[in-house]
Amino acid sequence: MPLTLYYFPLRGRVEVFKLMCAAKNVEYEIKDVDYADMKSNRVTYPFGQCPRLVDGDVDICQSNTIIRHVARKHGLYGSGEAEMAAVDQIIDGVESIRGVYLKLIYGDELKEEAKSAYQATHIAPDSSTGRNSGAHFAFLEQLLARNGGGSGFIVGGSLTAADLCVWEIVDLHLRIFKEEVTAAYPLLVAHHGRIAGLPGIAEYLASPARLDKVNNNNLG
Ligand SMILES: N[C@@H](CCC(=O)N[C@@H](CS)C(=O)NCC(=O)O)C(=O)O
């Protein structure tokens, strides 16, 4: 039985799920959300939002819950408690960046002034010690470096959900801040290249299943 994901036709919050399935050759189908059902049915959509995943008797919302479910089931959680906790830490750290990114895209509509402030607060290396809501690329670069110098995966010695969360958030920022990210975070950029070349991922990224539309308002 393929996994069924209910979502909109765009990359958005489901991209890490799709990357995980691609890496592990997990079959899935994506179904359009019935908007009225999503807003009124508190059983299928407990928070009135998608994505929603159905996998046998598992029927869940919240994108990071979906990521963790697939990671547990398909060997993308590392090995042992310390690695699993490290994967969780990165999933949650990436979520902090996603929060400020979504404000930049939807709240500030990617206006030039907002972009400069975002760059200065969340990307510029010297602002990692300032107030940045825990959202800064220097943190991810340092975590990667701490795992054997940063030339492999971000946790342990094999691909985990953490690599794919980091890959996708770096990918989103390379689209907007390519020069700045490339200049400041060589390990993250090299990791981005390595992960993109992995079997399953490379084929997915080249396929029509990797949608062009990134955000619902066509920004980013
Ligand atoms: N915390 C939720 C956020 C989900 C979310 O923001 N869903 C958006 C689509 S990306 C949505 O359903 N928007 C429609 C709405 O809120 O009415 C998650 O991680 O899944």
Side-chain angles (χ1 to χ4, degrees):
M1 271 279 281
L3 313 191
T4 306
L5 190 80
Y6 294 84
Y7 199 61
F8 305 128
L10 56 110
R11 286 189 205 168
R13 281 193 165 273
V14 302
E15 212 45 35
V16 175
F17 164 85
K18 290 170 76 180
L19 289 162
M20 293 169 83
C21 291
K24 289 291 174 176
N25 205 14
V26 177
E27 210 186 322
Y28 66 91
E29 56 182 2
I30 298 208
K31 291 197 176 161
D32 274 348
V33 173
D34 175 341
Y35 196 81
D37 186 46
M38 180 177 92
K39 284 292 156 198
S40 58
N41 189 336
R42 286 294 163 274
V43 176
T44 46
Y45 294 97
F47 300 96
Q49 287 190 313
C50 58
R52 169 188 169 214
L53 178 76
V54 179
D55 176 20
D57 61 357
V58 172
D59 188 341
I60 44 169
C61 288
Q62 294 294 353
S63 47
N64 288 333
T65 303
I66 292 170
I67 287 170
R68 289 180 165 102
H69 168 71
V70 176
R72 273 192 297 272
K73 194 165 161 180
H74 296 284
L76 286 167
Y77 232 130
S79 71
E81 277 186 15
E83 283 190 16
M84 286 193 270
V87 169
D88 276 336
Q89 173 177 256
I90 289 169
I91 292 173
D92 292 334
V94 167
E95 185 62 25
S96 296
I97 303 184
R98 186 174 277 278
V100 293
Y101 167 82
L102 290 175
K103 180 176 177 298
L104 175 67
I105 298 292
Y106 290 100
D108 299 328
E109 294 175 331
L110 209 51
K111 297 213 172 91
E112 281 311 315
E113 205 177 313
K115 262 173 75 175
S116 307
Y118 187 98
Q119 201 295 116
T121 311
H122 304 294
I123 296 174
D126 61 359
S127 60
S128 69
T129 52
R131 287 187 72 89
N132 49 42
S133 309
H136 203 292
F137 281 84
F139 302 149
L140 298 182
E141 177 92 352
Q142 285 153 11
L143 283 163
L144 183 54
R146 271 169 54 189
N147 192 33
S151 61
F153 300 102
I154 197 161
V155 174
S158 63
L159 183 74
T160 63
D163 289 296
L164 299 173
C165 288
V166 168
W167 188 91
E168 179 61 11
I169 204 77
V170 168
D171 196 68
L172 288 171
H173 286 74
L174 284 173
R175 296 171 64 88
I176 306 172
F177 302 103
K178 187 168 185 138
E179 219 173 282
E180 295 86 345
V181 171
T182 305
Y185 303 112
L187 294 180
L188 287 176
V189 172
H191 172 268
H192 183 267
R194 275 196 307 281
I195 299 293
L198 292 178
I201 305 262
E203 290 79 5
Y204 165 68
L205 292 176
S207 78
R210 171 82 168 166
L211 302 176
D212 287 334
K213 185 167 175 165
V214 178
N215 291 307
N216 209 14
N217 61 0
N218 292 316
L219 296 174

